[in-house]
Amino acid sequence: MIKVKNVRIAAIFVATMWILSASAGSQAKTGEVFEMVNPAEEVNRFDSEISNARKNQVNVLAPVSFTRAEKYLNDAKEALTGGDELSEILEEIASGRAQLQRAEEMAQVARTTLPSVIKARDLARAAGATTLGEDYVKAEKQFLKLTRAIEKNNLKYAQNNRDKVGAAFDELEVRAIKEQKLGEARKLIDQAEEEGAKKLAPQSLENAEQKLKDADVFISEHRYEREKIQQKSSEALFQAERLLQVTRQSKKIKEIEPEEISLWV
C-alpha cells in the first residue's frame, strides 16, 4: 500500500515538475509560471478526469484509491472557493492525481483477476437488477470486498470468492429479466386470486398460471433469446389479463338475480 505521507511528498514533486514542464522552452521564473496557471481550470480538469474514471468503473474496481482521489478533488474545490494559495490548490490536485493513477492501475489488475465477475455484474445491472433491493445491495457489497482485497494485494481472497460473487450476479440478472417481462402478469394473477379466481374462473386461472410458468422456465434456460422471451411473456400477460376479466365478469353474473339472467336470453 502507498503511504499517504509518501504520496503527498511525491505529489508535491509531481506538481512542481508538471508546472515546470508547462513552461518548457521558456526562461520564465517560478513565480511567473504560477501566474500562468488558472486554478479553476486545473480543478475542472481534474474533476473531468475523476468523472471519466467513474465512467470506466474505476470507483468500484479500485474503491479505496478512488475515494482518496475524490477527497483530494473536494479539498481542492474547497481551497479554490476559500481563496487559498495556488500552491496549496495544486498540491491537492497533484496528490489526487497520484491516487487516481494508482486507482487506474489497480482497476486494471481487477479487470484481469475478475473478468467473469465484472461481466456478470454488468449484465445484471443492464437487466435492471439494481431495482431488486437488498439482494442487489448484498451482491454489490461482496463485489467491493473482492476489489478492496485486490487493492490490499490479497489476490488469494479475490480468486477464492469470485465464482460465488459471479453466481450471485448471474442469479440477479435472471430475476431482473423475469421481473421486467413477467412482473405485470404475476400481479394480475395475484389480483384475480384475491378477487376469487379459484372459485369463479378455475380454468382461466390454470391457463394463466401455465403460461406464466412456461415463460418463467424459458427465461431461466434462454435468457438472451429476446424475441422468444417477448413472445412468451406477451402470451402470459394476455392470459393474466383475460383471467382478471373473466373473474370479474363471473362475479357480476353470480350476483345477478335469476330473473334478470332470464331476461338476457
Side-chain angles (χ1 to χ4, degrees), residues 42-54 73 100:
E42 290 307 310
V43 171
N44 290 336
R45 184 177 292 112
F46 183 38
D47 196 355
S48 295
E49 292 168 8
I50 289 286
S51 296
N52 289 334
R54 185 183 293 278
L73 172 62
L100 185 59

Side-chain angles (χ1 to χ4, degrees), residues 59-157:
N59 59 313
V60 292
L61 296 178
V64 177
S65 299
F66 185 86
T67 297
R68 289 174 181 167
E70 274 196 318
K71 185 180 185 306
Y72 280 118
L73 172 62
N74 292 332
D75 290 345
K77 288 180 177 179
E78 290 179 5
L80 179 64
T81 303
D84 291 2
E85 293 291 331
L86 175 59
S87 59
E88 295 180 10
I89 297 172
L90 294 180
E91 180 184 339
E92 296 292 353
I93 293 173
S95 297
R97 282 191 170 125
Q99 287 296 333
L100 185 59
Q101 181 179 354
R102 172 172 169 76
E104 296 278 8
E105 293 169 355
M106 297 311 300
Q108 189 55 46
V109 176
R111 293 186 186 100
T112 302
T113 308
L114 309 171
S116 60
V117 185
I118 294 171
K119 182 177 180 180
R121 177 179 179 271
D122 289 345
L123 290 172
R125 290 170 62 85
T130 55
T131 63
L132 297 178
E134 186 59 33
D135 288 338
Y136 177 81
V137 172
K138 181 180 178 181
E140 189 72 359
K141 288 180 179 178
Q142 291 174 339
F143 180 77
L144 291 174
K145 287 181 68 175
L146 295 182
T147 55
R148 287 193 181 102
I150 291 174
E151 281 196 274
K152 296 177 182 178
N153 296 320
N154 190 356
L155 286 176
K156 185 176 181 180
Y157 176 86

Side-chain angles (χ1 to χ4, degrees), residues 1-42:
M1 296 291 293
I2 296 178
K3 301 294 185 181
V4 174
K5 182 178 179 181
N6 292 338
V7 170
R8 292 184 69 86
I9 293 173
I12 296 173
F13 175 76
V14 171
T16 303
M17 294 302 295
W18 183 88
I19 294 168
L20 291 176
S21 65
S23 62
S26 71
Q27 300 297 320
K29 295 181 180 180
T30 303
E32 294 173 337
V33 172
F34 273 101
E35 289 179 3
M36 294 170 60
V37 177
N38 185 321
E41 289 181 359
E42 290 307 310

